[in-house]
């Protein structure tokens, strides 16, 4: 025993050590020997950023990531609610290149996409370079890259004064930075005024300036800490940008170029932060003639441009064909509904259904309650089984005893009354399903065995309806077929409408809808609606249905004592039929004060004509047995801009840029 405990202890220790070592191998961490940032500000208010990040990697390494913050709701809210706080942002970013530390261009190997954090709603432009797709263990190996991008709209006009306000380093660096040099080069004609420099950081740093260059160095920067630098320009040193408002036709799928740079995904009717001077706009769309315009942009002003592209001859033909298809689809929608109605009239109507219903004083001969109920609503449901059980009790094949009022009943198997015609095959199946293992059972115990038998009983009754030539096909099969057709048409219509609409809108450039898809959707929904009415009775089934309706009419209209010589025995004789018709309350009401006895097949509280025990039993049987069973049937990256009021102010992390750096 002692040896066994020792072996178990060492085995558990080995497992823990192995798991710990595995986690250490799998986890990846970073250190930054250097993280340098160079910013070159242009007189036209744009500025170029070059980040040189060197990583030492430990662990299972796949690649590098850099997230450039586009918008931060928490930061923006702080700026809008606090005086003298300004939030940086920008309107547009253009990635010039990405290189490795040897100067090799790796732009085509780096994925660029926008991402939004689900917890903080911070959106970022993510650079992602996958170096080892399957991962490779590193032990302090060096990697890195040089990110080169241009920012438009990062110089903000605050009270008619231009400000540069930028988070020089990513706040979440996922590792300690040993050394960082950050330089800001002002336009050539500007000279640095140290009084207009503001640094927002809790870290130690060294600030120098010379000519038009600001230089900041810092060492041993922890993983989580912003580093924000602001500079106040004189008005003659920076030309604040203007903007271009354009109306474009076709509005969808067109490409927009500003000075030969594709800005399609970063604008929506308004091009912000456009440098002053003559700017070239180009609008392109497949099938349309390219439109080029030269726009003279003035500082702080909005230029209006109308761009209506002329379609090529073949595109004009396609637009005409699209209009014809759209019109035809609209016309075919009501036609499809008429077609479904025609199919219903042709296949879904009962054959030779009598026009006049004659009251009958007895149920149709040799038609049990389960068949009566199933013919009426063309489906086998729980009340059909309950009605059959009551009928079997009346005929002496079982006894019902109330064990716990309204909660539990005991069923006892009997031999049947003398002279009874006997059980048909379906009634035998019902008895076998109830008394599977014993001649006495409580309803609360039936839930363990009856649900699957209930499904078998349903299927058997549907087969009997077809075998007796009441229907050519099982009603549930017919309903399922038309529901299936409806679902298929609706799904096909939805898919075709979405796919073709998206394709047509992007290809043609105009707002259009693939209306033939709506034809399928309308027909599909119509089939789903009429499916319930599609089971059609044969001539024999229609005759039986008319007789059943006649008997139901009699049960509904019979008066106490006076009509058709109602006798007390009639109540219990036809009680099973009243249950499948759902009129047991009305039926019992007619016998109130007439039938005062208690039949030998029921033992419990209350008089037999009190319908509440019947409803209680039916509800309890359903809940205990078949309650859970069912009948077989890179987008715009506009930042927040500056906000707040009063003189120049700010806070660490409040500038534009920043974000995260690391890998996986």
């Amino acid at each position: 025993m002692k040896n066994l405990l020792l072996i178990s202890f060492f085995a558990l220790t080995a497992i823990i050590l192995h798991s710990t070592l595995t986690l250490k191998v799998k986890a990846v961490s970073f250190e930054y020997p250097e993280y340098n940032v160079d910013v070159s500000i242009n007189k036209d208010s744009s500025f170029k950023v070059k980040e040189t990040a060197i990583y030492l990697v430990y662990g299972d390494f796949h690649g590098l990531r850099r997230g450039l913050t586009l918008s931060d709701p928490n930061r923006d809210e702080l700026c809008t609610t606090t005086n003298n706080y300004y939030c940086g942002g920008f309107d547009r970013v253009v990635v010039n290149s990405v290189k490795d530390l040897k100067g090799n261009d790796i732009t085509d190997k780096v994925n660029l996409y926008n991402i939004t954090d689900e917890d903080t709603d911070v959106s970022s432009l993510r650079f992602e370079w996958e170096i080892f797709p399957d991962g490779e263990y590193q032990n302090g190996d060096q990697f890195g890259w040089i990110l080169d991008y241009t920012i438009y709209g990062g110089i903000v006009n605050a009270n008619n004064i231009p400000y540069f306000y930028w988070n020089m380093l990513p706040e979440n660096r996922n590792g300690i930075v040993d050394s960082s040099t950050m330089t800001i080069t002002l336009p050539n004609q500007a000279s640095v005024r140290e009084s207009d420099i503001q640094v927002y950081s809790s870290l130690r740093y060294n600030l120098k300036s010379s000519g038009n260059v600001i230089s900041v160095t810092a060492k041993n920067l922890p993983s989580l800490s912003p580093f924000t630098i602001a500079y106040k320009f004189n008005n003659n040193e920076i030309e604040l940008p203007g903007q271009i408002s354009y109306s474009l036709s076709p509005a969808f799928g067109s490409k927009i170029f500003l000075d030969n740079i594709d800005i399609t995904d970063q604008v929506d009717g308004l091009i912000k932060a456009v440098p002053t001077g003559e700017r070239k706009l180009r609008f392109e769309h497949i099938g349309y003639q390219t439109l080029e315009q030269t726009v003279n942009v003035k500082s702080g002003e909005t230029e209006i441009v109308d761009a209506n592209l002329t379609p090529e001859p073949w595109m004009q033909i396609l637009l005409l064909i699209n209009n014809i298809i759209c019109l035809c689809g609209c016309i075919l929608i009501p036609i499809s509904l008429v077609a479904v109605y025609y199919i219903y009239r042709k296949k879904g109507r009962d054959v030779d259904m009598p026009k006049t219903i004659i009251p009958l004083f007895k149920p149709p001969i040799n038609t049990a309650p389960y068949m009566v109920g199933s013919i009426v609503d063309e489906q086998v449901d729980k009340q059909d089984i309950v009605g059959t059980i009551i009928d079997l009790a009346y005929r002496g094949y079982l006894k019902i005893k109330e064990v716990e009022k309204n909660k539990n009943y005991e069923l006892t198997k009997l031999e049947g009354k003398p002279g009874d015609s006997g059980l048909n095959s379906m009634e035998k199946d019902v008895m076998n399903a109830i008394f599977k293992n014993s001649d006495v059972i409580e309803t609360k115990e039936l839930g363990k065995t009856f649900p699957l038998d209930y499904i078998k009983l349903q299927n058997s009754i549907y087969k009997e309806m077809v075998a007796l030539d009441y229907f050519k096909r099982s009603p549930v099969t017919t309903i399922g077929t038309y529901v299936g057709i409806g679902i298929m048409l609706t799904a096909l219509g939805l898919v075709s409408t979405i796919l073709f609409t998206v394709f047509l809108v992007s290809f043609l450039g105009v707002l259009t809808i693939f209306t033939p898809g709506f034809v399928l959707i309308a027909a599909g929904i119509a089939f789903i609606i009429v499916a319930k009415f599609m089971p059609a009775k044969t001539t024999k089934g229609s005759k039986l249905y008319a007789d059943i309706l006649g008997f139901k009419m009699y049960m509904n209209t019979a008066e106490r004592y006076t009509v058709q010589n109602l006798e007390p025995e009639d109540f219990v004789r036809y009680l099973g039929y009243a249950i499948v018709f759902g009129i047991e309350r009305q039926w019992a009401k007619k016998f109130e004060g007439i039938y005062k006895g208690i039949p030998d097949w029921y033992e419990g509280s209350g008089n037999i004509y009190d319908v509440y025990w019947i409803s209680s039993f039916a509800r309890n049987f359903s809940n205990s047995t078949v309650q859970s069973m069912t009948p077989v049937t890179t987008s715009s990256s506009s930042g927040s801009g500056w906000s707040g009021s009063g003189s120049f102010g700010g806070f660490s992390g409040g500038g534009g840029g920043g974000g995260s750096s690391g890998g996986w």
Side-chain angles (χ1 to χ4, degrees):
M1 183 65 181
K2 183 177 180 180
N3 291 335
L4 180 61
L5 290 174
L6 287 174
I7 293 173
S8 300
F9 172 77
F10 286 119
L12 180 60
T13 302
I15 292 173
I16 294 174
L17 288 174
H18 179 268
S19 301
T20 303
L21 291 174
T22 301
L23 287 174
K24 287 184 178 179
V25 170
K26 291 295 183 182
V28 62
S29 61
F30 301 90
E31 293 179 2
Y32 297 82
E34 293 183 40
Y35 200 122
N36 302 322
V37 182
D38 296 299
V39 177
S40 297
I41 303 175
N42 302 313
K43 184 176 174 61
D44 64 11
S45 77
S46 65
F47 56 87
K48 185 177 179 181
V49 181
K50 185 168 72 172
E51 300 182 13
T52 303
I54 302 175
Y55 304 74
L56 296 181
V57 183
Y58 300 87
D60 189 20
F61 178 58
H62 291 261
L64 301 177
R65 286 194 182 113
R66 165 73 167 103
L68 179 64
T69 300
L70 301 176
S71 65
D72 184 344
N74 292 330
R75 177 197 65 186
D76 299 345
E77 182 180 2
L78 176 62
C79 292
T80 56
T81 57
T82 307
N83 290 338
N84 298 325
Y85 271 9
Y86 295 85
C87 280
F90 56 89
D91 295 293
R92 202 163 59 256
V93 56
V94 174
V95 177
N96 304 315
S97 67
V98 181
K99 297 180 179 180
D100 63 19
L101 296 178
K102 296 180 180 180
N104 300 313
D105 194 307
I106 58 171
T107 306
D108 59 342
K109 298 180 181 179
V110 175
N111 293 319
L112 293 173
Y113 53 92
N114 286 6
I115 187 170
T116 300
D117 187 281
E118 295 181 355
D119 297 325
T120 63
D121 287 333
V122 173
S123 63
S124 305
L125 173 65
R126 174 169 286 183
F127 299 75
E128 191 167 274
W129 179 22
E130 186 175 50
I131 303 173
F132 303 110
D134 297 326
E136 187 172 304
Y137 182 73
Q138 307 295 325
N139 186 23
D141 298 83
Q142 179 175 289
F143 296 87
W145 52 7
I146 303 170
L147 309 178
D148 189 322
Y149 53 90
T150 301
I151 296 295
Y152 295 89
I155 303 293
V156 180
N157 180 8
N159 297 326
N160 296 318
I161 299 175
Y163 286 100
F164 171 80
Y165 185 31
W166 194 252
N167 296 332
M168 300 295 290
L169 296 174
E171 299 95 277
N172 183 3
R173 292 182 285 274
N174 197 20
I176 297 174
V177 177
D178 294 338
S179 175
S180 177
T181 299
M182 297 164 275
T183 62
I184 302 170
T185 303
L186 308 185
N188 290 332
Q189 70 278 15
S191 296
V192 176
R193 297 176 298 277
E194 291 194 3
S195 60
D196 288 330
I197 303 174
Q198 292 187 351
V199 178
Y200 301 97
S201 177
S202 60
L203 307 175
R204 295 174 62 89
Y205 61 88
N206 184 26
L207 172 66
K208 294 181 180 180
S209 64
S210 176
N212 66 335
V213 178
I214 302 171
S215 177
V216 178
T217 58
K219 296 183 181 297
N220 299 321
L221 307 176
S223 297
L224 297 172
S225 58
F227 203 106
T228 306
I229 298 179
Y231 185 77
K232 173 185 174 183
F233 285 97
N234 291 331
N235 288 324
N236 62 345
E237 295 173 328
I238 288 289
E239 291 181 356
L240 290 172
Q243 56 187 15
I244 299 175
S245 175
Y246 64 89
S247 59
L248 176 60
S249 176
F252 304 97
S254 296
K255 285 189 170 294
I256 305 168
F257 296 83
L258 177 64
D259 294 334
N260 295 320
I261 298 174
D262 188 349
I263 60 171
T264 305
D265 294 334
Q266 302 190 53
V267 296
D268 185 15
L270 183 65
I271 308 174
K272 297 180 180 179
V274 181
T276 57
E278 289 190 350
R279 299 298 166 188
K280 292 183 180 180
L281 272 180
R282 187 169 79 251
F283 301 92
E284 296 180 357
H285 195 291
I286 296 176
Y288 293 82
Q289 297 176 13
T290 298
L291 176 64
E292 294 185 351
Q293 294 190 16
T294 299
V295 182
N296 187 18
V297 179
K298 299 180 179 62
S299 178
E301 296 186 7
T302 301
E303 306 299 327
I304 307 297
V305 173
D306 291 324
N308 297 313
L309 306 188
T310 303
E312 301 285 358
W314 63 269
M315 178 59 75
Q316 293 179 359
I317 296 174
L318 289 181
L319 290 171
L320 177 61
I321 293 174
N322 175 71
N323 292 337
I324 294 173
I325 292 175
C326 183
L327 179 62
C328 290
C330 293
I331 295 173
L332 288 174
I333 291 174
I335 293 177
S336 69
L337 298 178
V338 172
V340 173
Y341 179 72
Y342 174 79
I343 293 173
Y344 159 70
R345 296 276 299 182
K346 192 76 174 176
K347 297 185 176 182
R349 303 190 68 185
D350 297 338
V351 180
D352 297 331
M353 181 66 190
K355 296 182 179 180
T356 303
I357 303 300
I358 301 174
L360 294 180
F361 309 131
K362 294 181 179 181
I365 298 175
N366 296 327
T367 307
Y370 69 82
M371 184 60 69
V372 169
S374 301
I375 291 291
V376 168
D377 56 13
E378 298 177 339
Q379 69 176 12
V380 181
D381 47 35
K382 292 176 284 189
Q383 68 183 23
D384 298 332
I385 304 300
V386 174
T388 297
I389 291 174
I390 295 297
D391 183 65
L392 291 173
Y394 164 73
R395 291 161 57 191
Y397 290 98
L398 59 85
K399 181 177 181 179
I400 302 172
K401 178 182 179 181
E402 184 182 62
V403 177
E404 186 177 0
K405 189 172 182 179
N406 299 332
K407 292 185 178 181
N408 189 28
Y409 294 84
E410 180 185 84
L411 306 180
T412 302
K413 186 177 181 180
L414 303 175
E415 295 298 324
K417 290 182 180 179
D420 186 80
S421 58
L423 302 175
N424 63 27
S425 60
M426 179 54 57
E427 290 169 335
K428 290 178 182 178
D429 289 342
V430 173
M431 291 292 291
N432 291 334
I434 296 173
F435 303 104
K436 186 181 294 291
N437 300 316
S438 173
D439 289 345
V440 180
I441 192 168
E442 295 182 3
T443 54
K444 68 179 182 181
E445 296 296 325
L446 281 174
K448 300 175 182 178
T449 59
F450 198 82
L452 292 178
D453 291 312
Y454 173 61
I455 295 177
K456 295 177 182 178
L457 292 173
Q458 285 181 303
N459 291 328
S460 296
I461 294 173
Y462 285 125
K463 290 179 181 179
E464 184 179 345
M465 295 166 77
V466 176
L468 294 174
D469 195 30
Y470 298 147
F471 293 89
K472 291 298 183 184
R473 296 177 67 200
S474 167
V476 73
T477 301
T478 301
I479 293 173
T481 298
Y482 284 99
V483 168
I485 292 173
I487 293 175
M488 181 184 66
L489 290 177
T490 302
L492 184 61
L494 284 172
V495 172
S496 63
T497 298
I498 293 172
L499 292 181
F500 279 100
T501 296
V502 171
F503 170 75
L504 290 173
V505 168
S506 61
F507 184 73
L508 301 178
V510 297
L511 182 60
T512 184
I513 297 177
F514 185 67
T515 54
F518 280 93
V519 177
L520 298 177
I521 294 172
I525 294 175
F527 271 121
I528 293 173
I529 293 174
V530 304
K532 184 178 180 180
F533 307 98
M534 290 305 295
K537 302 177 186 68
T538 62
T539 300
K540 184 178 179 181
S542 297
K543 174 63 171 63
L544 176 62
Y545 182 48
D547 291 344
I548 291 173
L549 292 181
F551 180 56
K552 183 179 180 181
M553 182 185 299
Y554 157 72
M555 295 187 73
N556 269 324
T557 58
E559 297 293 339
R560 297 172 60 196
Y561 282 115
T562 58
V563 179
Q564 307 305 333
N565 299 318
L566 280 177
E567 297 180 358
E569 185 68 12
D570 291 336
F571 173 71
V572 289
R573 179 184 295 120
Y574 300 142
L575 181 56
Y577 295 94
I579 290 174
V580 300
F581 286 143
I583 59 172
E584 64 272 14
R585 290 179 180 273
Q586 299 92 311
W587 185 241
K589 190 70 175 176
K590 300 177 187 302
F591 288 83
E592 190 173 0
I594 301 175
Y595 192 99
K596 297 183 180 297
I598 299 294
D600 55 3
W601 54 266
Y602 171 71
E603 181 180 340
S605 59
N607 295 319
I608 188 63
Y609 69 83
D610 183 356
V611 75
Y612 292 103
W613 82 266
I614 304 170
S615 298
S616 174
F617 171 75
R619 182 173 60 255
N620 177 266
F621 182 83
S622 297
N623 291 344
S624 301
T625 57
V626 295
Q627 182 183 39
S628 61
M629 309 306 294
T630 55
V632 183
T633 58
T634 323
S635 61
S636 174
S637 61
S638 175
S640 63
W642 289 62
S643 57
S645 60
S647 61
F648 175 61
F651 60 98
S652 183
S660 61
S661 176
W664 79 104

